[in-house]
Amino acid sequence: MTLWASLVLVLIASLAFGVVYLAGGLVLRNTLKGYLMSAVEQNTNKINWGTAQEDTEANIYIAYGDGYLEIDRDFLDVINDVYAALYTSGGEMLYGEDPVARHTQDRGFTQTELWEITVDGIRYDMYDRRLPQELPDGQSLWIRGCVSEAGVRAQLRETARISLILMPVVIALCVLSGYLLTGRMLAPVRDMEKSAAAISRGDDLKARIPVSGSDEIGRLGTVFNGMLGRLEASFEAERQFTSDASHELRTPASVIMAQTEYTLEKDRSPGEYREALEVIQRQGRRMSALIGDMLDYSRLDRRPEDYPMTEVDLSAIAADCAEQMDMTADRGIGVSADVIPGVAVRGNQLLLERMITNLTGNAVRYGRDGGYVKVGVKRTEDGCPLLFVEDDGIGIGSEEQEKIFQRFYRSDASRSLPGTGLGLSMVKKIADMHGAGLSLDSEPGKGSTFFIKFPPV
Ligand code: ADP
């Protein structure tokens, strides 16, 4: 990783050097061309033609024909490596400097145009400018400017030399900063790796990845911790369930063991054997009911795909359940439906049937002899589907109303009756799976009503 980061940095540095080198060359050449043109242009008004020498201090006079060419003394013949020379249109140099004069004399002049010539491997930029004056012999005057690229080349060579000297330092800096940077960036990843390794060794499920900052790695850590939290909760739930289940099964198993040991101690009368077998049968039934409910309960933890949710007719499901429960209800209890038709919810039919059956079964079990159970469906004021199961049975004390939804919890009043303590925890789980809210209205001795409020479809 460090190697890669350093390599990339070195590449970027080399690229930057290359770009600076090329751009520097271009800029320098353009600057020189600018100097060339401005030097020539500045010289244009420094030439005159006259018949008399007027001010020999300020001017240089060159005899030409029957007069003089008057040239200002500040005619720039060499400045900043730019040369300028005065020519006749016939190619005769009258004044100034031109290092490539021998090679360009025959070329002729082109008004205000930049052109190039290469002499002895050195490229020169040239610029010609015609002056307004005419000479008496009909020839015109030209200023020819010239600048060599040798200077640019030398400067570029110098830049390259410095770059090459600096390159190893830059590379060393790149590698060092790459090493430090990646080390710093990867530190949280290394912490994550350590925590994940500790967790996968099974040392500590409570361990969390240290999260610092809210950058990408910080967010990854938070997501990871969220996942670990859920994993821990699910392991804990599993562990708790196994421990609760063994605890619940231990009681009937101990009763069976104690009963058989006691009965087998000596010969018994047929009546005593019968009594013992009845105790064993009761505890066997209880164990079987417990195992059945535990299986049903654990099945609810399957993947959501196993319980597809569709739009279902809650009114119809409730009415059907009420009808079936009415047929099996004992002790003179009547189960009736009180539903407004066509109330739909988004849910799973099997789960909803299970929920209504559990609630109605409880209402019958903890109901008054000859009492009633009502399975209802209506809409709340805010338009949400509401399922309720009402009875006039033993009721539930306020201190127990929270606890009855816990697994295996059974109230003191109901211990003498058959049951596993798993029915309501299943109801709660199914309500959760549907995003529904569960509430209870109950008074001991008067009866209970369980409400399930579904979200609107
Ligand atoms: P189980 O009925 O198998 O004991 P549940 O989880 O269904 O288990 O119910 C837990 C406890 O809640 C019951 O033991 C009972 O004490 C109480 N309970 C549930 N429904 C009612 C009801 N309709 N009337 C009175 N008590 C109830």
Side-chain angles (χ1 to χ4, degrees), residues 286 293 358-367 389-391 393-397 400 403-415 417-427 440 442 447-450:
R286 179 162 162 64
D293 274 4
N358 279 10
L359 287 171
T360 318
N362 278 353
V364 171
R365 197 180 316 151
Y366 308 114
V389 178
E390 183 185 317
D391 66 64
I394 60 172
I396 306 156
E400 287 194 305
K403 299 181 190 156
I404 55 170
F405 297 101
Q406 293 167 10
R407 270 189 322 226
F408 300 113
Y409 184 83
R410 307 200 67 212
S411 73
D412 291 338
S414 60
R415 285 205 186 272
L417 296 165
T420 61
L422 280 172
L424 282 183
S425 35
M426 271 189 248
V427 168
L440 163 65
S442 181
S448 320
T449 310
F450 288 82

Side-chain angles (χ1 to χ4, degrees), residues 290-308:
L290 263 170
I291 291 167
D293 274 4
M294 283 188 315
L295 272 176
D296 286 347
Y297 184 85
S298 62
R299 273 193 203 117
L300 291 180
D301 279 332
R302 281 200 245 164
R303 291 164 304 156
E305 305 89 271
D306 296 329
Y307 296 108

Side-chain angles (χ1 to χ4, degrees), residues 177-215:
S177 51
Y179 176 75
L180 291 177
L181 254 170
T182 46
R184 213 183 135 82
M185 271 161 53
L186 291 181
V189 177
R190 272 196 288 272
D191 287 345
M192 277 187 194
E193 188 193 328
K194 264 188 221 146
S195 312
I199 292 160
S200 69
R201 275 200 307 272
D203 294 356
D204 188 7
L205 252 181
K206 290 199 167 8
R208 292 289 178 274
I209 287 156
V211 176
S212 56
S214 56
D215 54 4

Side-chain angles (χ1 to χ4, degrees), residues 314 350-360 387 389 426-428 430-431 434 436 452 454:
L314 182 65
L350 278 177
L351 292 179
L352 291 172
E353 281 171 1
R354 176 89 218 201
M355 175 159 76
I356 300 171
T357 312
N358 279 10
L359 287 171
T360 318
L387 167 79
V389 178
M426 271 189 248
V427 168
K428 177 150 181 19
I430 296 171
H434 286 78
I452 321 277
F454 290 86

Side-chain angles (χ1 to χ4, degrees), residues 69 141 144 214 230 244 246 249 253 283 306 311 315 341 348 418:
L69 266 174
L141 281 168
R144 169 162 284 173
S214 56
R230 277 196 300 284
D244 290 350
S246 0
L249 286 171
Q283 296 303 328
D306 296 329
E311 197 175 310
S315 307
N348 178 274

